[in-house]
Amino acid sequence: MGKNLVKVTGFRISDDSILEKLNIIAKNHNRTRNQEVEWALSQYVKAYEKENGIININTDSEQL
């Protein structure tokens, strides 16, 4: 049997307008809403690392 390599997550969004706007942005970028969120999060992480340095996953993820 195959193993699903894509991690499934769920987010709660209290402001419906954010979700509606995200749908429009994703459509404008020819992406699904999930692909748009994944892209936006990757940009957020890149910006964070540019300002604060590379995040070492092996040690920092244990602090969560």
Side-chain angles (χ1 to χ4, degrees):
M1 295 287 157
K3 184 177 180 183
N4 188 353
L5 300 177
V6 177
K7 301 291 183 196
V8 177
T9 61
F11 295 97
R12 291 184 179 96
I13 300 175
S14 59
D15 185 346
D16 289 340
S17 69
I18 292 174
L19 194 57
E20 292 173 28
K21 290 177 182 182
L22 182 60
N23 288 334
I24 293 168
I25 294 168
K27 185 176 179 180
N28 288 337
H29 290 154
N30 295 313
R31 297 183 179 120
T32 64
R33 181 174 59 210
N34 190 71
Q35 290 169 331
E36 190 66 28
V37 169
E38 186 175 359
W39 180 85
L41 289 173
S42 72
Q43 296 303 304
Y44 178 77
V45 170
K46 285 179 187 178
Y48 180 93
E49 288 183 326
K50 185 176 180 180
E51 187 173 318
N52 299 287
I54 301 297
I55 300 168
N56 185 339
I57 296 172
N58 294 330
T59 59
D60 290 342
S61 63
E62 295 172 2
Q63 296 175 4
L64 297 177

